[in-house]
Amino acid sequence: ESYIFMKKSVFIFLSFILFSFPLFASMSKLEMRNGLVYAQWDDIEKKISLRLKSEEIGEWKEIIDDALFALIRRSELYRGRIDVVVFQDSSVECTVYPNLSIFISSGLLQYIDDCIFSYLSESLRRAKNINADREDYLAAFLSFELSRFALDIDVAKYETQKRLPMRKLEKNEVFLVDKMANVFLKVAGYRTLLMEEHLERLQNSTSEDGIYYDFRGEFSQNISERLEVLKSEGDSIEKLSEEILNIIFQINTQQGLEELITNIQLLRSSYPSSIYFLRLEVVARHSLFLERSKLLSFIPILPVAILGHTYAEKYYVNIEKKIKGTPFISNATSEPKTDFYDPLLIVAISLYKEYLDQ
């Protein structure tokens, strides 16, 4: 079950642990992540109570799925189960909590439609594919929140401050998330200027539009500064986007894995709190072990491992079952002895345990 459906009684118990300072040092990042979610339980519970049914969401459901697939799957940010809740509220809100549960308000969907129809009213020649425009607009909101998750800013602040941090981001954190959001949009295949256009729309919005503070609020007077910083990071954004695309390609095709791991480690040193780059190294090391291993009849399976191209075709009989997370075996008939002391296996397992504890 997802964390967001835990009962309040658990929250009371966990609160005692979270605020007992002597125990803090022994808390894992996973416990901190849970604590951050539980601390916002009242807000989460309210949104869940306002959850819209699929038929009430209409064609937006497919648009949301497409945007999330592009941003999460193409970037290999995550491959597990994700809770997505569209709730009835007039505010413009899109929130991704530290456990990757995603909440989108009906007000955000209405805001996007208002922006698009206002744009189209100026000239009917601009009308091409409204749903494609909807996805672009939504992807810009989602990319900001998903980047915040990928960088793991909230957990890192919790670990550093040794207390539950405010959800509000600091100015330098907003700049960093803006940059990574642009990277995710590029990796997902969206057009180059989408993030800049998004910020310009926020700059032109009014308080009556109900824009959530993470997107506008405190930084409404500084959106021009955000745009300036984003443009100055153009070369860096382009380079990082290319690096990530290359990493995903190399893992899928199992090419140059040792050099690839070195490159990922350099990225991890640049973004030490990022759960995203840790995940990529986990998958790369797993792939390296599979490439070198003589173990054919049983392939160690990571639920976060990438599927695609020769990687899946080489090792797995039933790819559809793998996607669904059910057990499966390889094509091999022989069963050589497992070398549990294989250095590659030891490193892969160690890093995987670190990822699971995030």
Side-chain angles (χ1 to χ4, degrees), residues 67-78 82 102 146:
L68 288 174
F69 180 87
L71 290 166
I72 296 176
R73 297 294 192 249
R74 289 181 185 172
S75 66
E76 286 299 342
L77 175 61
Y78 190 69
I82 298 174
I102 300 170
L146 291 171

Side-chain angles (χ1 to χ4, degrees), residues 63-79 82 94 96 100 102 104 134-147 149-150 180-191 194-195 244-245 248 276 279:
I63 296 168
I64 292 169
D65 287 345
D66 288 345
L68 288 174
F69 180 87
L71 290 166
I72 296 176
R73 297 294 192 249
R74 289 181 185 172
S75 66
E76 286 299 342
L77 175 61
Y78 190 69
R79 277 194 175 270
I82 298 174
C94 172
V96 176
L100 201 55
I102 300 170
I104 299 169
R134 283 171 164 173
E135 182 183 337
D136 284 352
Y137 281 45
L138 178 62
F141 278 97
L142 285 168
S143 66
F144 185 92
E145 284 288 297
L146 291 171
S147 297
F149 169 82
M180 189 59 71
N182 211 339
V183 168
F184 273 106
L185 288 169
K186 287 179 179 293
V187 171
Y190 290 101
R191 65 176 185 272
L194 186 57
M195 193 63 186
I244 291 173
L245 285 169
I248 294 170
Y276 175 55
R279 169 184 149 71

Side-chain angles (χ1 to χ4, degrees), residues 298-334:
F298 172 76
I299 301 299
I301 302 163
L302 299 182
V304 297
I306 289 176
L307 281 174
H309 309 308
T310 58
Y311 179 85
E313 295 168 3
K314 183 175 180 179
Y315 291 111
Y316 303 116
V317 174
N318 194 326
I319 294 178
E320 183 180 355
K321 285 185 178 181
K322 183 178 192 306
I323 292 173
K324 293 179 179 179
T326 56
F328 55 91
I329 59 173
S330 75
N331 290 303
T333 56
S334 60

Side-chain angles (χ1 to χ4, degrees), residues 163-317:
R163 59 182 174 83
L164 286 169
M166 298 291 291
R167 179 163 172 79
K168 183 172 62 179
L169 294 173
E170 301 295 334
K171 189 174 182 179
N172 63 316
E173 292 169 341
V174 173
F175 294 152
L176 180 60
V177 174
D178 279 344
K179 174 183 175 179
M180 189 59 71
N182 211 339
V183 168
F184 273 106
L185 288 169
K186 287 179 179 293
V187 171
Y190 290 101
R191 65 176 185 272
T192 302
L193 298 177
L194 186 57
M195 193 63 186
E196 286 88 338
E197 294 170 1
H198 169 65
L199 290 176
E200 287 171 355
R201 282 194 297 272
L202 296 185
Q203 189 173 34
N204 295 329
S205 64
T206 67
S207 57
E208 294 179 356
D209 292 324
I211 302 296
Y212 195 50
Y213 65 79
D214 273 355
F215 305 113
R216 189 174 185 277
E218 179 183 351
F219 296 98
S220 59
Q221 71 277 20
N222 288 321
I223 289 184
S224 58
E225 187 178 358
R226 290 173 67 183
L227 282 164
E228 185 178 339
V229 171
L230 198 60
K231 290 175 182 177
S232 70
E233 292 277 10
D235 291 342
S236 176
I237 289 170
E238 193 67 34
K239 180 182 177 181
L240 183 54
S241 302
E242 290 177 1
E243 285 183 290
I244 291 173
L245 285 169
N246 185 55
I247 286 169
I248 294 170
F249 174 79
Q250 285 184 269
I251 292 176
N252 273 328
T253 58
Q254 292 187 292
Q255 297 178 4
L257 291 174
E258 288 185 339
E259 180 182 352
L260 174 64
I261 289 171
T262 300
N263 294 338
I264 297 174
Q265 288 176 326
L266 290 174
L267 288 174
R268 287 191 64 193
S269 65
S270 298
Y271 302 91
S273 69
S274 173
I275 192 174
Y276 175 55
F277 292 120
L278 169 59
R279 169 184 149 71
L280 290 181
E281 186 178 353
V282 168
V283 179
R285 287 194 179 276
H286 177 67
S287 298
L288 180 61
F289 168 70
L290 293 183
E291 182 68 16
R292 301 287 179 81
S293 177
K294 295 180 181 179
L295 185 65
L296 299 176
S297 62
F298 172 76
I299 301 299
I301 302 163
L302 299 182
V304 297
I306 289 176
L307 281 174
H309 309 308
T310 58
Y311 179 85
E313 295 168 3
K314 183 175 180 179
Y315 291 111
Y316 303 116
V317 174

